[in-house]
Each structure stands twice: as structure tokens, then as C-alpha cells.
Amino acid sequence: MVKHRKDSSHLEIKGSKLCLAGGFLVVGLIAVNVAWSCNSTFNCVDFKPTVSYLACFRGHDRLFNFTMTLAGAFLSFFFVTAYANFNYFFSDLQNLAYIGLSCLISVGMPLIGIIDEANTSDLVPLERFHFWIVFCVVSCCLGWVYLTMGCLDNFNFTKSQTAAVVFLKKYLAVGLTVLFVNILQWTHEVFSEPNWLFNMNYQAYSEWCVILMGCFTPYTYSRSFAPMKIQLLS
């Protein structure tokens, strides 16, 4: 929500609303890329491309890189605001772990896009490196969630914040389930022949769901934070 104040030359923006706007922007860019690929590159009636697969095609790779860089920038903002709420409950070691995980995730997001694009070149075979970068980012995200979830019960919540935390825990449970399904799809695709249950199309569906939920996880978290407003010069 943006509020105009007559007696000030500033715009006030709620941090949670900025996280929501960032999620919609990233999801919108991904949707545009997928729709563009279905209209120009693939026959999406028979084949559904994963988001990461789009980065292997010229044109789509640039939009993918821009989207991943933008996501990394929004996550950096979110991690700073989240730290303002969590650091009171962290030990020194947890503080270091939080900062390290946040930095790795923020840097890893655009790096995934860069490595995906480089995979299109036969001169720079980085497929294994790409796998380990994705594995590292996903592991850091899971570690970040595990580290922060223990702090939520220590907050002095209002009634609305308590409801937001209850919803957050359910949201994360669904997200982790979808991530597990996607990992199963990916593992089966690598090591086994496709069948009616495990195939590229279902892998794409599960990946789309993981990304969709991941894009709005910062907003879901921020709804439980103490009220915060950011002032921008108008």
C-alpha cells in the first residue's frame, strides 16, 4: 500500500506490499517467457518446458537472466527486513549462519541464470556445475527456513500476526511437499525411462508450482513481521 502524505515529500510503502509486488513481477516475467516459448519455440500441447530449460534458448535466456537477477535483488531486500525481526533471537553463530545463507541465496539466483545460459555453448560445458549451484541454492533456502522457523514462536504477536504465522507454516508445508515431488520427478527423469506418472510434462508442472510458491514465500513471511514502512523520495 502506498500512502501519499500532504505534509511530506515522501511516499510510504509497506515492506510486505513491496515483497508482494516483487513476487508478482517475477512470476509475471516467468509467465511471459513461458508463453513466448509456447508461441515461438515449443508446441506446448505436447511438451511443457521447465523454466530452467528456457535458458538454453537464445532470446529466452536473456529474459531468464534478467528475471533471476531481479529475484536476487528482491530477496536481498527481504533478507535485510527479515533480519531486523529475527536477529534478537539469534545467537552469534546463528547470526553468521543467517548472513551467510542469505548472501549465498542472493548471489546464487543470478548465477543459476548465467550458468544456464553458458550451458548452451559446447565450448563451456557447465552442466554438472549448474546442478551443484542449484543444489546449493535449494539447500541454502531449506537451511534458511529451518533457521528462521524456530524464531517465530518467540514473537510477541498481535492477533493478525498470529494468524499470519499459522498460514505461513501451512504454506511452507505445502511448498516442501511440492518441492519433494519435483525432486522425485527430476530424479526419475535422469535415471529412468518416462512413464504416465513421471515424465517431462509433470516435471515442468511441479517446477512451475515450486517457483510460484517460492516467489511468494517472502511475502508470506513478511506478513508476520512487525509493521515496517519504507520512505521513498517523491
mmCIF file of all heavy atoms in Angstrom, residues 14 156-168 220-227:
data_model
loop_
_atom_site.group_PDB
_atom_site.id
_atom_site.type_symbol
_atom_site.label_atom_id
_atom_site.label_comp_id
_atom_site.label_asym_id
_atom_site.label_seq_id
_atom_site.Cartn_x
_atom_site.Cartn_y
_atom_site.Cartn_z
ATOM 1 N N LYS A 14 4.654 -0.099 2.533
ATOM 2 C CA LYS A 14 4.772 -1.194 3.477
ATOM 3 C C LYS A 14 5.711 -2.254 2.915
ATOM 4 O O LYS A 14 5.623 -2.622 1.751
ATOM 5 C CB LYS A 14 3.405 -1.810 3.762
ATOM 6 C CG LYS A 14 2.538 -0.979 4.690
ATOM 7 C CD LYS A 14 1.290 -1.735 5.075
ATOM 8 C CE LYS A 14 0.466 -0.949 6.095
ATOM 9 N NZ LYS A 14 -0.745 -1.675 6.499
ATOM 10 N N ASN A 156 6.193 -11.531 19.842
ATOM 11 C CA ASN A 156 5.043 -11.039 20.600
ATOM 12 C C ASN A 156 3.974 -10.625 19.591
ATOM 13 O O ASN A 156 3.881 -9.473 19.184
ATOM 14 C CB ASN A 156 5.458 -9.867 21.490
ATOM 15 C CG ASN A 156 4.320 -9.390 22.363
ATOM 16 O OD1 ASN A 156 3.352 -10.116 22.587
ATOM 17 N ND2 ASN A 156 4.416 -8.161 22.833
ATOM 18 N N PHE A 157 3.164 -11.582 19.190
ATOM 19 C CA PHE A 157 2.281 -11.376 18.050
ATOM 20 C C PHE A 157 0.985 -10.669 18.426
ATOM 21 O O PHE A 157 0.435 -10.867 19.497
ATOM 22 C CB PHE A 157 1.915 -12.721 17.405
ATOM 23 C CG PHE A 157 3.061 -13.388 16.723
ATOM 24 C CD1 PHE A 157 3.529 -14.596 17.178
ATOM 25 C CD2 PHE A 157 3.662 -12.803 15.625
ATOM 26 C CE1 PHE A 157 4.582 -15.225 16.541
ATOM 27 C CE2 PHE A 157 4.706 -13.434 14.992
ATOM 28 C CZ PHE A 157 5.180 -14.642 15.452
ATOM 29 N N THR A 158 0.534 -9.880 17.494
ATOM 30 C CA THR A 158 -0.848 -9.420 17.531
ATOM 31 C C THR A 158 -1.713 -10.547 16.983
ATOM 32 O O THR A 158 -1.204 -11.568 16.493
ATOM 33 C CB THR A 158 -1.031 -8.161 16.672
ATOM 34 O OG1 THR A 158 -0.757 -8.494 15.290
ATOM 35 C CG2 THR A 158 -0.087 -7.042 17.120
ATOM 36 N N LYS A 159 -3.012 -10.379 17.038
ATOM 37 C CA LYS A 159 -3.921 -11.407 16.541
ATOM 38 C C LYS A 159 -3.704 -11.657 15.052
ATOM 39 O O LYS A 159 -3.704 -12.806 14.595
ATOM 40 C CB LYS A 159 -5.363 -10.981 16.806
ATOM 41 C CG LYS A 159 -6.395 -12.044 16.454
ATOM 42 C CD LYS A 159 -7.803 -11.594 16.844
ATOM 43 C CE LYS A 159 -8.828 -12.675 16.508
ATOM 44 N NZ LYS A 159 -10.200 -12.250 16.900
ATOM 45 N N SER A 160 -3.498 -10.592 14.278
ATOM 46 C CA SER A 160 -3.300 -10.751 12.840
ATOM 47 C C SER A 160 -1.966 -11.424 12.539
ATOM 48 O O SER A 160 -1.858 -12.234 11.606
ATOM 49 C CB SER A 160 -3.369 -9.386 12.149
ATOM 50 O OG SER A 160 -2.346 -8.525 12.634
ATOM 51 N N GLN A 161 -0.933 -11.111 13.322
ATOM 52 C CA GLN A 161 0.364 -11.745 13.114
ATOM 53 C C GLN A 161 0.325 -13.224 13.461
ATOM 54 O O GLN A 161 0.949 -14.046 12.785
ATOM 55 C CB GLN A 161 1.434 -11.037 13.944
ATOM 56 C CG GLN A 161 1.843 -9.676 13.405
ATOM 57 C CD GLN A 161 2.844 -8.989 14.311
ATOM 58 O OE1 GLN A 161 2.600 -8.822 15.499
ATOM 59 N NE2 GLN A 161 3.976 -8.605 13.756
ATOM 60 N N THR A 162 -0.408 -13.570 14.506
ATOM 61 C CA THR A 162 -0.549 -14.985 14.869
ATOM 62 C C THR A 162 -1.202 -15.762 13.738
ATOM 63 O O THR A 162 -0.769 -16.869 13.386
ATOM 64 C CB THR A 162 -1.386 -15.124 16.149
ATOM 65 O OG1 THR A 162 -0.752 -14.406 17.213
ATOM 66 C CG2 THR A 162 -1.532 -16.581 16.547
ATOM 67 N N ALA A 163 -2.240 -15.209 13.147
ATOM 68 C CA ALA A 163 -2.908 -15.859 12.016
ATOM 69 C C ALA A 163 -1.948 -15.969 10.831
ATOM 70 O O ALA A 163 -1.960 -16.976 10.107
ATOM 71 C CB ALA A 163 -4.149 -15.063 11.621
ATOM 72 N N ALA A 164 -1.109 -14.945 10.645
ATOM 73 C CA ALA A 164 -0.151 -14.965 9.539
ATOM 74 C C ALA A 164 0.887 -16.064 9.729
ATOM 75 O O ALA A 164 1.294 -16.723 8.762
ATOM 76 C CB ALA A 164 0.536 -13.604 9.420
ATOM 77 N N VAL A 165 1.322 -16.300 10.968
ATOM 78 C CA VAL A 165 2.296 -17.357 11.237
ATOM 79 C C VAL A 165 1.685 -18.731 11.017
ATOM 80 O O VAL A 165 2.330 -19.635 10.458
ATOM 81 C CB VAL A 165 2.841 -17.231 12.677
ATOM 82 C CG1 VAL A 165 3.666 -18.452 13.053
ATOM 83 C CG2 VAL A 165 3.689 -15.977 12.802
ATOM 84 N N VAL A 166 0.451 -18.912 11.432
ATOM 85 C CA VAL A 166 -0.242 -20.188 11.203
ATOM 86 C C VAL A 166 -0.331 -20.474 9.704
ATOM 87 O O VAL A 166 -0.050 -21.590 9.245
ATOM 88 C CB VAL A 166 -1.652 -20.165 11.841
ATOM 89 C CG1 VAL A 166 -2.437 -21.415 11.430
ATOM 90 C CG2 VAL A 166 -1.543 -20.077 13.353
ATOM 91 N N PHE A 167 -0.703 -19.450 8.936
ATOM 92 C CA PHE A 167 -0.780 -19.619 7.487
ATOM 93 C C PHE A 167 0.598 -19.892 6.890
ATOM 94 O O PHE A 167 0.742 -20.718 5.983
ATOM 95 C CB PHE A 167 -1.383 -18.362 6.850
ATOM 96 C CG PHE A 167 -1.460 -18.418 5.345
ATOM 97 C CD1 PHE A 167 -2.468 -19.123 4.724
ATOM 98 C CD2 PHE A 167 -0.503 -17.784 4.564
ATOM 99 C CE1 PHE A 167 -2.536 -19.194 3.335
ATOM 100 C CE2 PHE A 167 -0.558 -17.845 3.189
ATOM 101 C CZ PHE A 167 -1.579 -18.555 2.566
ATOM 102 N N LEU A 168 1.629 -19.191 7.396
ATOM 103 C CA LEU A 168 2.997 -19.387 6.898
ATOM 104 C C LEU A 168 3.439 -20.827 7.068
ATOM 105 O O LEU A 168 4.013 -21.425 6.147
ATOM 106 C CB LEU A 168 3.949 -18.448 7.641
ATOM 107 C CG LEU A 168 5.446 -18.685 7.422
ATOM 108 C CD1 LEU A 168 5.814 -18.481 5.959
ATOM 109 C CD2 LEU A 168 6.266 -17.758 8.317
ATOM 110 N N THR A 220 4.751 -14.064 2.282
ATOM 111 C CA THR A 220 4.090 -14.836 3.331
ATOM 112 C C THR A 220 4.827 -14.685 4.662
ATOM 113 O O THR A 220 4.202 -14.586 5.716
ATOM 114 C CB THR A 220 4.028 -16.322 2.924
ATOM 115 O OG1 THR A 220 3.494 -16.440 1.602
ATOM 116 C CG2 THR A 220 3.141 -17.106 3.876
ATOM 117 N N TYR A 221 6.148 -14.659 4.595
ATOM 118 C CA TYR A 221 6.941 -14.399 5.800
ATOM 119 C C TYR A 221 6.683 -12.990 6.328
ATOM 120 O O TYR A 221 6.470 -12.779 7.529
ATOM 121 C CB TYR A 221 8.432 -14.550 5.491
ATOM 122 C CG TYR A 221 9.061 -15.829 5.965
ATOM 123 C CD1 TYR A 221 9.228 -16.903 5.110
ATOM 124 C CD2 TYR A 221 9.515 -15.966 7.278
ATOM 125 C CE1 TYR A 221 9.825 -18.086 5.531
ATOM 126 C CE2 TYR A 221 10.115 -17.135 7.707
ATOM 127 C CZ TYR A 221 10.273 -18.192 6.831
ATOM 128 O OH TYR A 221 10.858 -19.357 7.267
ATOM 129 N N SER A 222 6.737 -12.006 5.426
ATOM 130 C CA SER A 222 6.697 -10.603 5.850
ATOM 131 C C SER A 222 5.368 -10.222 6.501
ATOM 132 O O SER A 222 5.311 -9.250 7.249
ATOM 133 C CB SER A 222 6.972 -9.686 4.656
ATOM 134 O OG SER A 222 5.949 -9.787 3.674
ATOM 135 N N ARG A 223 4.302 -10.971 6.231
ATOM 136 C CA ARG A 223 3.008 -10.691 6.866
ATOM 137 C C ARG A 223 3.072 -10.910 8.373
ATOM 138 O O ARG A 223 2.247 -10.358 9.120
ATOM 139 C CB ARG A 223 1.922 -11.566 6.251
ATOM 140 C CG ARG A 223 1.575 -11.205 4.818
ATOM 141 C CD ARG A 223 0.581 -12.185 4.217
ATOM 142 N NE ARG A 223 -0.704 -12.153 4.893
ATOM 143 C CZ ARG A 223 -1.253 -13.191 5.521
ATOM 144 N NH1 ARG A 223 -0.622 -14.348 5.576
ATOM 145 N NH2 ARG A 223 -2.432 -13.087 6.096
ATOM 146 N N SER A 224 4.015 -11.708 8.823
ATOM 147 C CA SER A 224 4.138 -11.980 10.260
ATOM 148 C C SER A 224 5.140 -11.057 10.946
ATOM 149 O O SER A 224 5.299 -11.115 12.162
ATOM 150 C CB SER A 224 4.558 -13.443 10.490
ATOM 151 O OG SER A 224 5.858 -13.675 9.980
ATOM 152 N N PHE A 225 5.827 -10.207 10.175
ATOM 153 C CA PHE A 225 6.829 -9.327 10.764
ATOM 154 C C PHE A 225 6.165 -8.134 11.451
ATOM 155 O O PHE A 225 4.995 -7.805 11.198
ATOM 156 C CB PHE A 225 7.776 -8.800 9.687
ATOM 157 C CG PHE A 225 8.662 -9.864 9.079
ATOM 158 C CD1 PHE A 225 9.331 -9.628 7.884
ATOM 159 C CD2 PHE A 225 8.830 -11.088 9.697
ATOM 160 C CE1 PHE A 225 10.127 -10.587 7.335
ATOM 161 C CE2 PHE A 225 9.635 -12.069 9.145
ATOM 162 C CZ PHE A 225 10.289 -11.814 7.952
ATOM 163 N N ALA A 226 6.944 -7.483 12.307
ATOM 164 C CA ALA A 226 6.487 -6.236 12.907
ATOM 165 C C ALA A 226 6.270 -5.211 11.799
ATOM 166 O O ALA A 226 6.990 -5.226 10.784
ATOM 167 C CB ALA A 226 7.524 -5.723 13.901
ATOM 168 N N PRO A 227 5.268 -4.330 11.924
ATOM 169 C CA PRO A 227 4.990 -3.344 10.863
ATOM 170 C C PRO A 227 6.225 -2.521 10.524
ATOM 171 O O PRO A 227 6.946 -2.049 11.399
ATOM 172 C CB PRO A 227 3.896 -2.455 11.491
ATOM 173 C CG PRO A 227 3.241 -3.342 12.503
ATOM 174 C CD PRO A 227 4.337 -4.221 13.054
#
